[in-house]
Amino acid sequence: MSAVSRKRWYAGLTDVGRVRTHNEDAVLLEPPLFAVADGLGGHEAGEVASSVALGALVEAAPRRPDAKALGRAVRAANRAVISAAREGLGRNGMGTTVTAALVEGTRIAIAHVGDSRAYLLHGDGLERLTEDHSLVADMIRSGTITEEQSRTHPNRSVITRALGTDPNMYPDTFEVEAGIGDRLLLCSDGLTGMLPDARIEEILDSYRDPEMAVRMLVDAANEAGGHDNISVAVVDIVTGQHRSPATERPGRGWLSALVWVFAVVAVLGIAVWGTYRYAYDRAYLVTEDQYVVIYRGIPGDFAGLRLRWLEAETTVTASALDPVTAQRLATGVPVESVDAAFELIELYRAHLETQGVDPNAGPPPAETGTP
Ligand code: MG
């Protein structure tokens, strides 16, 4: 079981289950962006597909809950999976589901492909937000089988839409207005194939700590058989940090002017401090002397200021990665946070390992010119 939880208003967990030998699922917790991906393709290709998809998604995703923009990011992720297969990463025919949510306050944007799901727990119960793109879902919709029968149907894992094959693939996209105290659940079919919605609702209701909730969901799916990889992300809808504007009233004459001078100085100070804070919270990866290094800050100059600080040097060699990534790393790949940068490094390492390349091997020996 690999826990990937942070803080208290969201948590995620992915688990191999009790039958499979590999975990082809992936979970992304990169607030405001959350996603689950269920890779398919076997022979470890599914793992590549789901991690490539989420890596591309986090790079292309908007910062606001804009469903159309999030949909475009999922399409970028689709192209990334297709080109990864073409470049020999994973293999042809590998694919993945993606259910992605961008959460800001009570606003949620969803983009979705495949049979992973998004649910919203609110006062009226557990509402399924997404429609599965699967054969059994089509059969339920047409009345051929029931929800219960779909759980044991021999073709229950056949999905009708996925990332990785069709360059013209479109995700379902929409926006939802949640309420404070609601709870968003993203999950792979390893959860929903094992547990009925009523049981999922019961667990989400009983464990208010997101970290506990994800553990209990995974445990329950395993107790029910754990036939597939199980991935869950739980995001509590909480109030944002709203700062109320100052309500100071300027006085008359020189006092008023003085207040204004202070106000202007304060605004400038806040702007500089804000920019600094913004840069300090962000990070980017760039190639230096063939190795990928992590900087806190933003690449380039900002109003003559260099807002970057070396965070870590890694042993990942850029030239061993696929050419597109290597090219992007030459100029810098910006990410949300230092944590996200380290996660991307882990993704790169995982990709290299699946290719049989030792990620710590360092740069190839220099050309000597001898034939
Ligand atoms: Mg699955």
Side-chain angles (χ1 to χ4, degrees), residues 121-334:
L121 180 76
H122 47 68
D124 298 329
L126 187 68
E127 183 188 355
R128 200 183 295 179
L129 298 178
T130 49
E131 281 192 2
D132 294 351
H133 303 136
S134 70
L135 199 66
V136 289
D138 289 347
M139 291 167 85
I140 294 168
R141 277 192 284 273
S142 68
T144 321
I145 57 168
T146 65
E147 177 83 36
E148 205 42 53
Q149 287 169 322
S150 74
R151 271 177 223 295
T152 51
H153 195 279
N155 290 327
R156 62 186 177 278
S157 58
V158 177
I159 58 175
T160 50
R161 219 192 293 179
L163 274 67
T165 41
D166 177 7
N168 297 313
M169 183 277 326
Y170 273 88
D172 289 349
T173 58
F174 54 93
E175 286 163 26
V176 181
E177 187 64 36
I180 300 296
D182 289 358
R183 178 169 256 196
L184 177 72
L185 167 71
L186 306 180
C187 58
S188 66
D189 68 330
L191 181 79
T192 52
M194 289 291 113
L195 303 178
D197 286 6
R199 178 75 184 120
I200 294 172
E201 180 177 343
E202 195 177 68
I203 295 169
L204 287 174
D205 254 336
S206 310
Y207 298 92
R208 290 318 300 176
D209 175 24
E211 207 160 317
M212 269 311 276
V214 297
R215 280 187 186 282
M216 296 314 287
L217 286 168
V218 167
D219 286 352
N222 273 325
E223 276 161 30
H227 292 170
D228 193 3
N229 306 146
I230 308 148
S231 294
V232 290
V234 166
V235 183
D236 284 337
I237 305 304
V238 290
T239 35
Q241 302 289 333
H242 293 298
R243 198 180 269 259
S244 53
T247 52
E248 202 172 349
R249 278 170 204 279
R252 289 163 174 269
W254 66 271
L255 187 59
S256 170
L258 199 59
V259 167
W260 275 103
V261 167
F262 272 120
V264 168
V265 169
V267 165
L268 284 175
I270 288 166
V272 169
W273 182 81
T275 309
Y276 174 85
R277 268 317 311 176
Y278 171 79
Y280 194 78
D281 286 343
R282 297 186 64 85
Y284 68 98
L285 290 85
V286 70
T287 307
E288 279 184 6
D289 297 330
Q290 304 202 53
Y291 292 105
V292 182
V293 296
I294 297 173
Y295 276 92
R296 182 183 280 281
I298 46 179
D301 285 1
F302 179 83
L305 292 172
R306 287 178 64 187
L307 296 169
R308 57 177 177 271
W309 305 268
L310 182 66
E311 184 73 24
E313 289 170 335
T314 78
T315 52
V316 174
T317 332
S319 57
L321 295 161
D322 67 277
V324 177
T325 307
Q327 201 180 356
R328 296 191 55 223
L329 281 165
T331 51
V333 176

